[in-house]
Amino acid sequence: MSRTFITAAATLLLTSTSLPAQTIYPIDRAEILAGSKFDFKVELPEKIAAADIKVTINGADQTAAFGKTANYIAKEDGKDQSALLLRDVTLDKPGAYKIEVSDGVRSRVVTWNVYDTGPRKAKNVILFIGDGMSLAHRVSARILSKGIAEGKSRGKLAMDDMPHMAMVATAGSDSIITDSANSASAYATGHKTATNAMGVYADRTANVFDDPQVETITSLAKRKLDLAIGIVTNTEVEDATPAAMVAHTRRRAAYDEIVAQFLAAKPDVLMGGGAANFLPQAAAASKRKDDIDYVARFRDAGYSVATTAPELNGLARKPETRKLLGLFTPGNMDGVLDRKFLGGGGVKKFPQQPDLTEQVHAALKVLSRNDNGFFLMVESGLIDKYAHLLDMDRAVYDVIMLDNAVKLARDWAARRGDDTLILVVSDHSHPNSLVGTVNDDMSKESNLPLRERIGVYDKAGFPNYPAPDAEGYPARVDVSRRLAIMSASLPDHYETLRPKLDNPNDPTEKGDEPGTFKANEKYRNAPGSMLRLGNLPAMMGASVHSGEDVILTATGPGSDRVRGAMDNTEVFRVMVDALGLAAKP
């Protein structure tokens, strides 16, 4: 009898202490810009009567802090779990905030820091994002575009030759490894969120569009200063990084809805690939699930539309062009190695795609017509796509292209008296390392095992790419001493250690079991091919992101805040401080 009582008591104690506490959004230790909009939500683990729920902020009822009462939801999603929700609130007074929630049984406390800004320092802000750009990518781009002799580079990248530098941590709220959605969202909002989410805190509801929202820098800049907004990429414009500048959803793949959110936000310049989700489903290239023609809707909203580089350049030159939509391919655009040298990918179908530098040049022309200034995000997004595919040559050439765009922007800002904050950063890294060189002559078929072709230490020497052209690109990648960039995350694949001169690398194909991948048989009989077993789960058909810090470099007014070790949410703070977005008028 005694043993039974003790067991029952222990079970009761474990049950009561293991009940989940309330979930509060914004989350603990959130950093919130004074005057920015956000949604406040409390999720309770079971059905709780409204009268039993008490929420205080710095000891006072939440109504006093927010000026209105939260909406009580008795059974969220029809389940026995209650919630409180308050949309579009602000906290204008800087300082520490203690939020305490009690339901009579459990209680939870989180703290927020609300910060302000000083007066405005910069007229414009340009944020360059090399998606997935690792340190190995940057170093390799420097070697190829500037050259190296006797251990010294013959020049610096424009993105590296900046006065301020920091290491930026990239983890999301749910994992040490981030994806492009929540990492770009951290830059755009100053808030952490979960994988696949942007502009929201990912909550428990089934609806991926009703999660608690946080305001983006594009919304703030337009609402508070009437700045022009530009979003430029060479991926689909609906992809995670460009979408995170305006979108609010925890499902980054919701391309149709993201297009609608772009139209609602009305950035002054929007350009990249992704036309397929702007076209009604009857159109040949469409991927939409409805009959809405968003190209027509953007035109009706006053946008000029470009689909080729000549159209883009022509429209940008016209003084009357103030709103510009550029959609140059149905999906992702092609990287510079294919467009300028190899003709692979989609170049034959779409031969007049603009270079990222042309896109930036056009964006600067249009955006600078707004006398109040602008915010511009520029993404070289295919660096990440190629890194996933273990296509290191294409990735490095797109880093060089990004650097050319950075130089263009820096020269443009210098002519104006340096009134523009320019930042260059990656949203996350890839586990790549430059380990030496690959030594073989591609005009001959080598019998050496692949691993014996790798030169390390003194055997690495220096690569023998031809001298770069005026844009920093060597004319060939199929030389006899090439950079050996290795990834630490691998699916099963056939390794050749040779650049893919026909089309971007495609290391895997669908496996024998549903949801799995195997090495792509296309490369089985390639010269020197060797099956390399991967170190990733079979469900992964490509390399994956890694959790290392990324490099942030910056120049211009407000760049002095870039230093030491930072969190990705602090990049947002650097930008809003430079624009003075919390300063009182």
Side-chain angles (χ1 to χ4, degrees), residues 65-105:
F66 293 139
K68 48 187 175 181
T69 303
N71 178 38
Y72 168 67
I73 303 165
K75 297 181 67 174
E76 190 171 47
D77 274 3
K79 300 176 182 178
D80 285 332
Q81 50 188 26
S82 301
L84 296 178
L85 179 62
L86 196 53
R87 301 282 190 189
D88 268 357
V89 298
T90 61
L91 292 171
D92 296 323
K93 184 179 178 182
Y97 285 75
K98 179 181 178 182
I99 297 81
E100 192 164 4
V101 177
S102 172
D103 62 11
V105 177

Side-chain angles (χ1 to χ4, degrees), residues 199-270:
V200 298
Y201 281 106
D203 70 8
R204 68 188 177 189
T205 61
N207 188 336
V208 299
F209 298 104
D210 71 350
D211 301 48
Q213 297 187 7
V214 287
E215 192 169 15
T216 64
I217 189 170
T218 59
S219 171
L220 281 159
K222 185 167 275 195
R223 178 169 68 87
K224 292 203 165 192
L225 299 176
D226 195 24
L227 299 192
I229 303 300
I231 300 168
V232 172
T233 183
N234 61 349
T235 68
E236 298 162 303
V237 295
E238 308 91 347
D239 203 6
T241 302
M245 298 302 114
V246 303
H248 300 279
T249 178
R250 71 165 184 268
R251 184 172 176 265
R252 59 177 284 181
Y255 277 19
D256 285 1
E257 293 82 359
I258 287 169
V259 171
Q261 292 190 34
F262 271 127
L263 182 61
K266 292 183 172 57
D268 300 83
V269 171
L270 175 63

Side-chain angles (χ1 to χ4, degrees), residues 12 65 210 323 339 399 415 496 502:
L12 179 63
D210 71 350
K323 290 187 177 296
R339 282 188 296 102
V399 175
R415 292 194 297 270
T496 66
D502 52 352

Side-chain angles (χ1 to χ4, degrees), residues 96-127:
Y97 285 75
K98 179 181 178 182
I99 297 81
E100 192 164 4
V101 177
S102 172
D103 62 11
V105 177
R106 293 162 295 262
S107 65
R108 175 88 193 280
V109 174
V110 300
T111 59
W112 301 337
N113 176 48
V114 176
Y115 60 89
D116 61 1
T117 65
R120 186 174 178 181
K121 306 176 185 70
K123 182 173 184 178
N124 315 301
V125 170
I126 306 176
L127 173 64

Side-chain angles (χ1 to χ4, degrees), residues 171-370:
S173 63
D174 63 335
S175 172
I176 57 173
I177 306 298
T178 189
D179 81 322
S180 292
N182 60 350
S183 54
S185 184
Y187 294 155
T189 69
H191 291 259
K192 292 284 188 181
T193 189
T195 306
N196 297 320
M198 44 198 172
V200 298
Y201 281 106
D203 70 8
R204 68 188 177 189
T205 61
N207 188 336
V208 299
F209 298 104
D210 71 350
D211 301 48
Q213 297 187 7
V214 287
E215 192 169 15
T216 64
I217 189 170
T218 59
S219 171
L220 281 159
K222 185 167 275 195
R223 178 169 68 87
K224 292 203 165 192
L225 299 176
D226 195 24
L227 299 192
I229 303 300
I231 300 168
V232 172
T233 183
N234 61 349
T235 68
E236 298 162 303
V237 295
E238 308 91 347
D239 203 6
T241 302
M245 298 302 114
V246 303
H248 300 279
T249 178
R250 71 165 184 268
R251 184 172 176 265
R252 59 177 284 181
Y255 277 19
D256 285 1
E257 293 82 359
I258 287 169
V259 171
Q261 292 190 34
F262 271 127
L263 182 61
K266 292 183 172 57
D268 300 83
V269 171
L270 175 63
M271 66 174 87
N277 289 91
F278 282 73
L279 301 172
Q281 60 183 337
S286 176
K287 289 184 178 178
R288 289 196 66 83
K289 299 176 181 65
D290 57 37
D291 297 319
I292 302 175
D293 185 341
Y294 271 95
V295 174
R297 290 196 173 186
F298 270 84
R299 280 200 173 100
D300 291 344
Y303 285 78
S304 300
V305 179
T307 59
T308 66
E311 289 178 359
L312 173 65
N313 297 330
L315 288 171
R317 283 194 296 268
K318 293 182 177 180
E320 63 269 27
T321 302
R322 304 292 291 258
K323 290 187 177 296
L324 178 59
L325 173 66
L327 296 171
F328 307 108
T329 52
N332 294 318
M333 296 171 67
D334 288 289
V336 68
L337 189 55
D338 285 308
R339 282 188 296 102
K340 291 184 180 289
F341 299 99
L342 301 178
V347 173
K348 288 183 177 63
K349 281 188 175 182
F350 304 98
Q352 293 185 306
Q353 300 172 54
D355 190 79
L356 192 65
T357 56
E358 293 177 275
Q359 292 176 267
V360 171
H361 181 73
L364 292 174
K365 275 186 171 294
V366 175
L367 296 172
S368 60
R369 291 173 184 144
N370 184 329

